[in-house]
Amino acid sequence: MRKLTTLLSCVVVMLALAPRFSLQAQPAKELGYDLPKRKALVAERIDAELKGLDSLYKYLHSNPELSYEEEQTAARLARELKMLGFEVSEKIGGHGIVGVLKNGDGPTVMIRTDMDALPVTEKTGLPYASKIRTRDKDGNDVGVMHACGHDMHMTCWVGTARVLVALKKHWQGTLVFIGQPAEEVGAGARRMLEDGLFKRFPRPDYCLGLHCDSRLPHGQVGYTEGLSLVNVDSVDILVKGKGGHGSAPHTTIDPIVIAARIVLDLQTLVSRENNPLDPAVVTVGSIHGGTKHNIIPSEVKMQLTVRSTRDDVRARLLEGIQRITKAAALGAKAPDPVVYFHTDNFTPALYNNVDLAKKTSNVFRATLGDDKVIQQEPLMGGEDFSRYIRAGVPGFFFFLGTLSSDHVAAMKTGKAPPISLHSDFYHPIPEPSMRTGVTAMSMAALNLLKGR
Ligand code: ZN
């Protein structure tokens, strides 16, 4: 079975990263509209929607679907948008959906949710825990779980759609709500774009997205200005040798020894060849070769995750992997190894538009309070929301606190074991998390649409 951790492109949260700055809230009048009034309208709508959203969240949590298989999830989201009056197109780049709502002249704002779950067997013990099992693409029986919080993303997305539709007379513009498949495998955004997302539908002036965060308590949101997440590449290496008896190494070419050399030599790509001021990671996450003590196998398979913040650094790392692997084989008189770059699953680095990040985080501060809005360090994780930004649309991707504050405090002092996204124990506290998520996303959208 493939080692999943090397392939997952989704955000991997590191617990040690602490908040840095706390900017002062801008006075409401400087934000260009009557913020207290909008805040009150949004809060009132969320109060009315929360019970229904909680049921939706629990339904989605109990019924997860793996990447490329989000059929029922997409159908449910499509129904939600249709009921609100969106014009909905389905099967965009796989199971992707696009809902468009035109409401007079004004900017076009795209709001994205992802929809896929992970091959993880849930251990939360929640009454609404997933009991779903399925076969993965290699035929293995696996549990399925929304261990990355995409169920919460979808709930906030539907909640935001409901709020904005209910407040339709207060804004003008066009909403484009997209449900993206296959985020966990880094393919969904690319596929939706290749299927004409920005050509067949109104091209957005802005795009917004959020992701659950297992570092922040519910009630808080986190963000960066500029770099947020990094380039993520998955690489397979097949080291070829010549098998034989373990007692007669001189009659073989031992691929295990060559692979061991490759693992060590790869470390120099970061420690010797890379400018220390440019963050980079080369991790060999999986290595498999051989069956028995006394057999020298004929091949070894390795799987790598490669991370960088700059495209030139990425290119050099990938070239270096090719070069080092080939040189190790040459040194052992082995056949050329096969190096396979999973370019289809490449997740480009995510850079938030700085102006948009400043503008939106100021609205967050004025809405949620200064102490609830945390400017964070970038993470070495990846998210394919970056592709919409790379396609030329100014974008902002922020993080939503989801755990109880007691839990976060206990994790910081080592009194509770760290729980990260993708853990079989990870689960957001539903109601307060979605309240903040819907509030933040609705206020962000209203701030970009034309007021009336
Ligand atoms: Zn995720």
Side-chain angles (χ1 to χ4, degrees), residues 9-11 112 114 116 118 147-150 153 183-184 211-212 382-383 397 421-422:
S9 70
C10 205
V11 178
R112 174 268 213 170
D114 37 18
D116 51 335
L118 288 161
C148 199
H150 297 192
H153 307 168
E183 186 280 330
E184 294 290 355
H211 203 293
C212 287
E383 232 287 357
F397 190 72
L421 299 177
H422 294 199

Side-chain angles (χ1 to χ4, degrees), residues 5-80:
T5 48
T6 60
L7 292 174
L8 298 171
S9 70
C10 205
V11 178
V12 176
V13 167
M14 284 160 277
L15 293 158
L17 297 172
R20 279 197 305 174
F21 310 112
S22 176
L23 301 180
Q24 290 304 303
Q26 298 289 308
K29 65 177 170 52
E30 287 180 21
L31 294 168
Y33 61 85
D34 185 355
L35 187 132
K37 186 180 153 201
R38 288 205 176 174
K39 189 174 148 182
L41 285 169
V42 167
E44 192 185 327
R45 281 318 306 166
I46 293 174
D47 283 341
E49 296 293 347
L50 218 49
K51 200 159 167 260
L53 290 175
D54 189 63
S55 307
L56 174 66
Y57 171 73
K58 286 171 183 165
Y59 165 80
L60 293 168
H61 189 85
S62 307
N63 293 283
E65 294 174 296
L66 291 180
S67 308
Y68 300 123
E69 294 171 12
E70 310 89 342
E71 192 172 3
Q72 298 306 318
T73 308
R76 175 66 193 257
L77 295 191
R79 274 206 307 280
E80 294 286 342

Side-chain angles (χ1 to χ4, degrees), residues 145-166:
M145 176 186 176
H146 271 300
C148 199
H150 297 192
D151 46 356
M152 179 56 68
H153 307 168
M154 290 186 270
T155 307
C156 292
W157 181 89
V158 169
T160 302
R162 290 183 186 176
V163 167
L164 294 176
V165 168

